[in-house]
Amino acid sequence: MYLSSLAQGLTPYVAGEQPKNQVFIKLNTNENPYPPSPMAEKVLHESNLSLLRLYPDTDASAFCKSAAEQSGVKPTQIFAGNGSDEVLAFAFAAFFAEEKLFCPDITYSFYPVYSELFRVDYRAVPVREDFSVCVDDLMQGGCVALANPNAPTGLAVPVSELRRLAEYTHSVGKVLLIDEAYAAFNTENAVSLVNEFDNVLITRTMSKSHSLAGLRLGYAIGSETLIDGMNRVKNCFNSYTIDMLGIAVGKAAIDDREYCDNNVRKIVEAREYTEKALRSIGMTVLPSRTNFVFAAYKGLSGAALQAALRSKGFLVRNFQNGARIRDYLRITIGTMEQMEKLAAALEEIIKESV
Ligand SMILES: *Cc1c(COP(=O)(O)O)cnc(C)c1O
């Protein structure tokens, strides 16, 4: 066996299916149904490829400056990475390695994976019966990481509760990581906490709200102390995590706020329609603050629902890890037209089942 004992012991993350053809209505990986900003497209077309002979800016300063402006922090409080998954990995290595880390038991499934890779003492804390996160249960003397709004439930903890968690983790000298991959679809975000508490790190992604999942660009917002820690780890791994085109396209996309806000508004409308439509056919739907809904039907298993939708041309996600969520589907919000088709398909599936 050639694998190291560390590698042998890992359980890798499994990403949602990316079909090779486009016959499916793809609602399984929380991508945005709209194209990226036309400004981003323009920047790409006008890029001078002869510059690619040079290495890119290690700090992605042009992008960080724009991200900082938008978040109301200094550029030195932003760390950019190759997707927020990479940003999260660096944060786990920088702040959680060999520490106790408390996370809700239903959360983004990459956290336990990174914990194994970086030798983090991972402690899963059960969420409540209604899947909501109790912040007091996460106050156990260690570091804390949570996605807010949460994945795959779509539920959000109010920022007032996160502030209590920030106060607590600050008082015990540990880092609080808030993964805000879906904050654009919520009614509030926690960015104000980074200037109040130097132990709070927020991560964001350009994948969902800015339609750039294929570009791979995410960032963290935090105190200069935490951002220095992130850079320390990054520069032990790869100094050039974001390429020159990624920096330029990402900057143009984040600067085009109006375009992004408009798409987010359409997605939130389609989400509200979907929640109502699925409830009207008897499904249980958690109140979502994201670009997906988490839904179940008591007469059918999650696997059966997923398979039936697939045969009707829809890809959705189902998680078999954990008895409490096994029968739920995580359905990405697409265009209104796609969601109308999805609701009709689910109605047929449910009728055929009785
Ligand atoms: C999608 C997602 C990410 C990863 O986003 P990328 O920037 O595409 O790597 C991180 N955290 C959560 C909770 C997500 O849902």
Side-chain angles (χ1 to χ4, degrees):
M1 191 57 156
Y2 295 122
L3 282 179
S4 67
S5 58
L6 172 66
Q8 277 181 50
L10 300 176
T11 313
Y13 176 77
V14 183
E17 179 181 358
Q18 291 294 350
K20 300 289 182 288
N21 54 45
Q22 288 306 311
V23 301
F24 290 104
I25 293 185
K26 191 173 177 304
L27 306 175
N28 66 332
T29 52
N30 297 344
E31 289 143 334
N32 194 307
Y34 303 108
S37 158
M39 303 303 227
E41 192 168 357
K42 186 161 176 281
V43 162
L44 183 65
H45 287 308
E46 290 171 2
S47 293
N48 176 1
L49 289 201
S50 74
L51 287 177
L52 291 183
R53 69 190 181 78
L54 303 174
Y55 282 105
D57 171 16
T58 52
D59 299 324
S61 314
F63 173 77
C64 291
K65 188 166 167 285
S66 289
E69 252 163 48
Q70 202 161 110
S71 305
V73 299
K74 291 184 269 181
T76 47
Q77 290 181 270
I78 303 284
F79 173 91
N82 195 256
S84 65
D85 284 340
E86 184 188 75
V87 176
L88 289 166
F90 290 149
F92 272 59
F95 310 119
F96 302 151
E98 282 154 27
E99 295 276 337
K100 278 198 193 85
L101 174 67
F102 295 89
C103 296
D105 64 339
I106 297 175
T107 192
Y108 186 40
S109 41
F110 236 129
Y111 304 159
V113 175
Y114 289 141
S115 293
E116 282 188 331
L117 183 59
F118 298 116
R119 303 182 197 275
V120 177
D121 183 356
Y122 184 81
R123 309 289 178 99
V125 177
V127 297
R128 298 191 186 99
E129 202 49 43
D130 65 359
F131 296 114
S132 64
V133 171
C134 174
V135 298
D136 294 280
D137 293 350
L138 295 166
M139 299 179 188
Q140 299 196 46
C143 305
V144 175
L146 77 167
N148 198 64
N150 199 10
T153 61
L155 302 176
V157 171
V159 172
S160 55
E161 291 283 283
L162 294 176
R163 178 170 283 107
R164 287 204 299 115
L165 191 53
E167 264 160 16
Y168 171 79
T169 47
H170 187 264
S171 74
V172 295
K174 301 294 178 190
V175 168
L176 166 62
L177 170 63
I178 306 170
D179 178 345
E180 286 200 336
Y182 300 102
F185 305 98
N186 193 1
T187 49
E188 57 174 358
N189 67 63
V191 77
S192 66
L193 299 182
V194 304
N195 287 328
E196 283 178 63
F197 302 97
D198 67 0
N199 67 317
V200 173
L201 191 75
I202 290 178
T203 58
R204 298 260 177 93
T205 174
M206 298 295 285
S207 298
K208 288 130 188 179
S209 50
H210 291 76
S211 314
L212 287 173
L215 189 74
R216 310 309 301 132
L217 188 58
Y219 59 100
I221 314 167
S223 61
E224 286 175 353
T225 313
L226 295 187
I227 298 303
D228 285 349
M230 297 289 286
N231 278 312
R232 190 179 166 83
V233 168
K234 181 189 95 161
N235 290 319
C236 293
F237 177 75
N238 176 4
S239 296
Y240 306 104
T241 56
I242 310 169
D243 62 79
M244 218 179 260
L245 299 175
I247 295 168
V249 170
K251 176 186 160 49
I254 203 167
D255 283 343
D256 194 353
R257 225 169 151 160
E258 197 185 326
Y259 179 81
C260 171
D261 288 351
N262 194 38
N263 287 342
V264 165
R265 196 172 325 114
K266 286 190 278 186
I267 291 165
V268 168
E269 268 171 34
R271 178 185 81 200
E272 284 164 3
Y273 158 80
T274 307
E275 286 191 19
K276 264 195 218 129
L278 301 195
R279 285 190 190 120
S280 78
I281 57 172
M283 294 185 79
T284 303
V285 188
L286 302 191
S288 169
R289 294 295 184 89
T290 60
N291 69 337
F292 59 83
V293 292
F294 205 50
Y297 182 72
K298 67 174 167 348
L300 287 165
S301 73
L305 274 172
Q306 187 189 34
L309 277 174
R310 191 185 172 93
S311 72
K312 290 185 185 289
F314 297 87
L315 291 185
V316 299
R317 197 94 200 257
N318 167 246
F319 299 90
Q320 285 295 320
N321 57 331
R324 292 173 69 187
I325 61 168
R326 192 170 294 157
D327 288 331
Y328 279 80
L329 298 180
R330 191 197 66 188
I331 305 169
T332 303
I333 302 300
T335 63
M336 189 66 95
E337 193 192 349
Q338 289 176 324
M339 302 325 286
E340 284 168 358
K341 287 184 182 158
L342 173 96
L346 278 166
E347 188 171 11
E348 271 178 27
I349 291 164
I350 286 172
K351 276 199 186 125
E352 284 161 12
S353 77
V354 289

